[in-house]
Amino acid sequence: MAVVNEGALKKMLKQYKYRDLTVREITNVISQYKDLKPVMDAYVFNDGSTRDLMSLTGTVPVSYRGNVYNIPVCLWLLDTYPYNPPICFVKPTSAMMIKTGKHIDANGKIYLPYLHEWKHPQSDLYGLIQVMIVVFGEEPPVFSRPTTQAPYQAFQAAGPPNPSYMPGMPAVSSYGPNPNPGGYPGYQYQGGNSYPATAGPAHYPTQTPVSTVGPSRDGTIGEDTIRASLISAVSDKLRWRMKEEMDRAQAELDALKRTEEDLKKGHQKLEEMVSRLDQEVTEVDRNIELLKRKDEELSEALEKMENQSENNDIDDVIVPTAPLYKQILNLYAEENAIEDTIFYLGEALRRGVIDLEVFLKHVRLLSRKQFQLRALMQKARKTAGLSDLY
């Protein structure tokens, strides 16, 4: 099959409203299913109107009883796709006959809940084909034509089946409920038990699907073959259901295991938090006891000082810890006393208590002594490792 690039598809779909979305889905599908190819052709609606629409024509692989068959299909895309579902047909060859059933009518039109409940972006072409493969794997849509019958006219997928062959089907266009600018009549996909009535038996246990290149099968089939076929079909169905249940149970088990791991981690974290809180509570209690003892000691010391405050001498209260510190304290006190003396001499001079000559004489003597005290105190502080005071 020739590869169709996106540029060619966009030219073919120039009248489509959502061209880019449609091109993206078609490209994805034909890259997965090589036997499907895009074809631009005229589609004839039930009311007789026609329009050029894109179709995906070819075969899809279906697994049935251990064998893979190529089922011919034709998917028509309306120009409002993907907001309206495709119109799907089975397209049998001359060596095949349509097997009518719940999902296929006598004209090959496909009815699926997936189409009936179509909603973009949850629904797309790839998902539709996957659903077709599963449904056709359970109930094949075609079977080999017996060689004793007259040749069957190949189904033409250029338009929908004739309404006269579809009991209860309205003769209207196949557009869905979504608003469309093309003015097509609306057609609601029928779901559930509302599919068209079948034109033949509901089940063909002796018929099997065929590939587009497989030989036809003829001759009568015995009861043993029918019984074996039914047993095989039931076994396949049971195996499929059992596998589905096991997968579901395994998924639930995995989810429960993850939840159990999360709960264990959370339990461990909670235990660590409780342990830290217990340690902090113990430390707080210990600090409270320590503060209570210190408070009692301070209260006793304060009470003792209050009782002895009347007889305390300032020189007895402040007792340096070393002789050098005591020397620094005495020098500092004497230097401040000289400073106060000079201040009061100035006040006496200002008030006229002493004359200027007496003031200058005493200030000169006091200043010389103050200088000596400061020098000695600076040296003592340096020896004690204290910072400079001036």
Side-chain angles (χ1 to χ4, degrees), residues 22-38:
T22 306
V23 168
R24 191 180 307 123
E25 289 200 21
I26 291 176
T27 304
N28 181 41
V29 167
I30 62 180
S31 67
Q32 300 291 330
Y33 300 97
K34 307 295 184 181
D35 292 334
L36 293 175
K37 65 178 181 177

Side-chain angles (χ1 to χ4, degrees), residues 143-214:
F143 60 92
S144 298
R145 175 186 296 277
T147 56
T148 57
Q149 294 188 6
Y152 180 78
Q153 181 67 27
F155 177 78
Q156 300 297 327
N162 192 325
S164 63
Y165 294 96
M166 301 173 64
M169 295 295 295
V172 295
S173 170
S174 299
Y175 269 76
N178 201 53
N180 51 79
Y184 304 129
Y187 170 71
Q188 300 288 343
Y189 277 90
Q190 301 183 13
N193 295 325
S194 300
Y195 291 122
T198 60
H203 184 62
Y204 292 82
T206 64
Q207 299 160 347
T208 58
V210 299
S211 66
T212 56
V213 296

Side-chain angles (χ1 to χ4, degrees), residues 92-108:
T93 64
S94 59
M96 302 178 186
M97 292 185 66
I98 295 176
K99 179 182 176 182
T100 58
K102 180 180 179 182
H103 303 292
I104 307 293
D105 66 9
N107 296 288

Side-chain angles (χ1 to χ4, degrees), residues 10-316:
K10 287 183 178 180
K11 290 182 180 179
M12 298 168 69
L13 299 173
K14 58 184 178 181
Q15 82 277 14
Y16 276 60
K17 289 185 61 177
Y18 311 101
R19 183 179 63 178
D20 292 339
L21 291 174
T22 306
V23 168
R24 191 180 307 123
E25 289 200 21
I26 291 176
T27 304
N28 181 41
V29 167
I30 62 180
S31 67
Q32 300 291 330
Y33 300 97
K34 307 295 184 181
D35 292 334
L36 293 175
K37 65 178 181 177
V39 177
M40 203 73 184
D41 203 352
Y43 181 86
V44 182
F45 292 93
N46 290 347
D47 59 0
S49 61
T50 61
R51 178 167 286 270
D52 290 336
L53 297 178
M54 170 65 69
S55 68
L56 288 178
T57 305
T59 61
V60 293
V62 175
S63 177
Y64 182 73
R65 296 184 182 176
N67 297 318
V68 177
Y69 301 92
N70 294 322
I71 304 299
V73 295
C74 181
L75 313 179
W76 290 89
L77 307 181
L78 303 175
D79 58 6
T80 52
Y81 184 86
Y83 291 93
N84 287 101
I87 304 173
C88 306
F89 295 94
V90 174
K91 189 179 179 183
T93 64
S94 59
M96 302 178 186
M97 292 185 66
I98 295 176
K99 179 182 176 182
T100 58
K102 180 180 179 182
H103 303 292
I104 307 293
D105 66 9
N107 296 288
K109 189 166 185 179
I110 300 172
Y111 298 87
L112 294 171
Y114 192 87
L115 291 169
H116 177 66
E117 299 169 0
W118 185 276
K119 184 178 180 181
H120 179 76
Q122 289 81 5
S123 306
D124 56 18
L125 276 177
Y126 185 76
L128 172 61
I129 294 175
Q130 293 291 316
V131 172
M132 283 185 182
I133 291 173
V134 173
V135 172
F136 292 167
E138 296 182 355
E139 186 179 351
V142 295
F143 60 92
S144 298
R145 175 186 296 277
T147 56
T148 57
Q149 294 188 6
Y152 180 78
Q153 181 67 27
F155 177 78
Q156 300 297 327
N162 192 325
S164 63
Y165 294 96
M166 301 173 64
M169 295 295 295
V172 295
S173 170
S174 299
Y175 269 76
N178 201 53
N180 51 79
Y184 304 129
Y187 170 71
Q188 300 288 343
Y189 277 90
Q190 301 183 13
N193 295 325
S194 300
Y195 291 122
T198 60
H203 184 62
Y204 292 82
T206 64
Q207 299 160 347
T208 58
V210 299
S211 66
T212 56
V213 296
S216 300
R217 188 171 63 176
D218 57 3
T220 60
I221 301 175
E223 293 183 359
D224 293 339
T225 305
I226 295 175
R227 186 180 299 107
S229 177
L230 289 173
I231 292 174
S232 177
V234 172
S235 299
D236 291 343
K237 188 79 170 181
L238 289 176
R239 279 195 295 269
W240 180 75
R241 289 289 175 84
M242 186 177 297
K243 184 178 181 302
E244 189 179 55
E245 289 297 323
M246 289 181 65
D247 292 342
R248 183 182 62 80
Q250 185 63 39
E252 293 180 355
L253 182 61
D254 293 340
L256 290 174
K257 286 183 178 179
R258 290 194 296 269
T259 304
E260 182 184 10
E261 292 177 358
D262 294 340
L263 289 174
K264 286 182 178 178
K265 292 179 181 178
H267 181 69
Q268 185 177 359
K269 289 182 179 179
L270 287 175
E271 287 183 345
E272 292 175 356
M273 293 174 62
V274 170
S275 177
R276 287 198 301 268
L277 287 174
D278 290 340
Q279 294 176 1
E280 292 177 358
V281 168
T282 303
E283 186 176 356
V284 168
D285 291 339
R286 186 168 56 251
N287 291 333
I288 290 174
E289 292 296 328
L290 180 61
L291 288 174
K292 286 181 178 179
R293 288 197 301 270
K294 294 296 182 182
D295 182 65
E296 292 176 358
E297 292 176 2
L298 289 174
S299 298
E300 293 176 358
L302 182 61
E303 183 179 358
K304 185 177 180 180
M305 290 178 63
E306 288 177 350
N307 294 333
Q308 297 177 356
S309 60
E310 298 179 356
N311 301 324
N312 285 341
D313 186 4
I314 189 63
D315 294 331
D316 297 332

